[in-house]
Amino acid sequence: MIAILLFFSSGLKLPLLDTATEVYFREAITKAGVAYATCRVVNAAVSIVKDSTLQLEPAGVGVSLAVGQALDPIDDMTERLSDVLVMAITSLGVQKLAYEISVSLVPPILSMFLLSLSIMIWFENERLNSFQKIIMRFLLLIVIARFCLPISSMANEFVHKHFFADQISVANKELAIGIVELDKLKDFSLPEIDGVLGTIENSTSFLQRKSIEFKNAIAATVSNMGAIIENLLKLTFLYVGIFLIQVIILPLLSFWFLVKIVNPLFYTNVPVILHHSRPYNAAGVAVFPASLLSDFCLVNTFL
């Protein structure tokens, strides 16, 4: 009966666990996307300023000044942060896709295994008994895989809220201040001069006034460059930490935790780490079987 119910329950979601999981993935991808958009705004502003030149041509004398050569560190840091954010968004998308696939496919797969198990229970056979144990292990692994991502997502939400959210918010606010100064420099332009005589007459005062404005704009950005780079570095470190925790550490810990709970409850021995035992000789050196060595030599010769 349970197998039949599971077969017709594809896509069944648990009210509390799955709802929290969907909210986590939606908000995490949105926040990472907003951070990526902010980073690209900084990168675009720096690129425009860095690739532009200031043309001063009073009285026919041309002087070309490079504007954005001092902003190379900001450009490099925004590129690094963009790569980290793309990696984080991609990992979240892959996890969300894996979660949705598990929600759809786990109930029918469980129903097939349960149906096979319910049929084999009625037969007394040593080979079938060993096969039943294998099916039980697969059942438990599938159940663990189904609940691994939801549990790890809830743990991720807790860790993000209590350890990362405030620091990311502060870094984004401080970075926004730097963007304002950068936008001022990006929009900096010289007014057109009407007439050759007017240009010649006002060339001295014009150059002095525009040089002061240009110097102030560059000075404001360069003085704020340290804070911009610091905040970009902080965001990079934070998102690398989030990536490691949400993609590697917490899913593995959730899987280990579920296996440790399931094994004593059902008297099973689902392995946490799959490994092959290897014999050692008296000197402590691993000894490989002759068949394995011959296979290795065959593959090596083929390659």
Side-chain angles (χ1 to χ4, degrees):
M1 291 178 62
I2 294 175
I4 293 173
L5 289 175
L6 286 174
F7 184 79
F8 292 102
S9 300
S10 178
L12 179 65
K13 296 181 179 180
L14 302 177
L16 181 61
L17 189 64
D18 288 328
T19 302
T21 303
E22 291 178 348
V23 171
Y24 163 74
F25 281 123
R26 183 171 60 251
E27 292 183 353
I29 293 175
T30 301
K31 291 176 182 178
V34 171
Y36 178 77
T38 303
C39 182
R40 298 313 300 176
V41 168
V42 177
N43 182 256
V46 171
S47 297
I48 292 174
V49 174
K50 193 180 75 169
D51 296 336
S52 63
T53 56
L54 178 64
Q55 300 291 337
L56 301 176
E57 298 182 354
V61 179
V63 179
S64 178
L65 299 177
V67 176
Q69 297 303 317
L71 304 180
D72 281 334
I74 299 178
D75 191 35
D76 293 338
M77 281 307 307
T78 52
E79 290 291 341
R80 302 297 182 272
L81 180 55
S82 297
D83 294 338
V84 172
L85 288 171
V86 168
M87 182 173 60
I89 294 172
T90 303
S91 67
L92 284 171
V94 171
Q95 289 186 74
K96 186 175 184 295
L97 181 61
Y99 161 73
E100 292 174 349
I101 291 175
S102 68
V103 170
S104 300
L105 295 183
V106 164
I109 294 174
L110 283 177
S111 69
M112 294 174 61
F113 278 116
L114 283 175
L115 185 60
S116 302
L117 188 64
S118 63
I119 294 174
M120 285 187 292
I121 285 175
W122 296 97
F123 298 94
E124 294 292 337
N125 188 297
E126 185 176 352
R127 184 175 296 180
L128 286 179
N129 290 335
S130 61
F131 196 61
Q132 290 174 20
K133 293 179 181 179
I134 295 175
I135 290 180
M136 279 296 299
R137 291 184 180 182
F138 274 110
L139 280 173
L140 295 176
L141 282 175
I142 291 172
V143 172
I144 290 171
R146 167 65 176 86
F147 291 103
C148 180
L149 279 177
I151 292 176
S152 66
S153 67
M154 294 179 68
N156 274 320
E157 178 64 23
F158 176 83
V159 171
H160 185 275
K161 182 177 180 181
H162 289 83
F163 297 98
F164 289 99
D166 293 337
Q167 298 184 59
I168 290 176
S169 178
V170 171
N172 281 324
K173 288 180 181 178
E174 293 179 357
L175 187 61
I177 298 175
I179 294 175
V180 173
E181 297 296 330
L182 206 58
D183 285 338
K184 291 181 181 178
L185 183 59
K186 182 186 69 173
D187 296 333
F188 180 80
S189 60
L190 295 174
E192 296 181 358
I193 303 301
D194 295 330
V196 177
L197 294 177
T199 301
I200 295 174
E201 292 175 357
N202 300 322
S203 60
T204 303
S205 60
F206 173 79
L207 280 174
Q208 183 178 5
R209 178 166 53 88
K210 288 304 175 184
S211 297
I212 292 174
E213 291 181 5
F214 179 76
K215 179 181 178 180
N216 292 336
I218 289 290
T221 303
V222 172
S223 64
N224 202 28
M225 185 169 61
I228 295 174
I229 295 176
E230 181 182 356
N231 289 301
L232 288 172
L233 276 172
K234 187 184 296 184
L235 286 173
T236 303
F237 296 151
L238 289 172
Y239 278 104
V240 167
I242 290 174
F243 174 79
L244 292 176
I245 290 174
Q246 73 184 7
V247 176
I248 300 174
I249 297 175
L250 284 180
L252 290 178
L253 284 178
S254 301
F255 182 82
W256 177 85
F257 179 72
L258 289 172
V259 169
K260 288 296 183 181
I261 290 178
V262 166
N263 279 336
L265 285 178
F266 295 93
Y267 302 99
T268 57
N269 189 22
V270 178
V272 179
I273 300 176
L274 298 177
H275 61 88
H276 297 283
S277 61
R278 186 178 299 169
Y280 293 86
N281 58 15
V285 180
V287 178
F288 293 89
S291 60
L292 180 61
L293 289 175
S294 62
D295 291 342
F296 173 77
C297 293
L298 181 62
V299 173
N300 191 26
T301 304
F302 175 76
L303 293 176

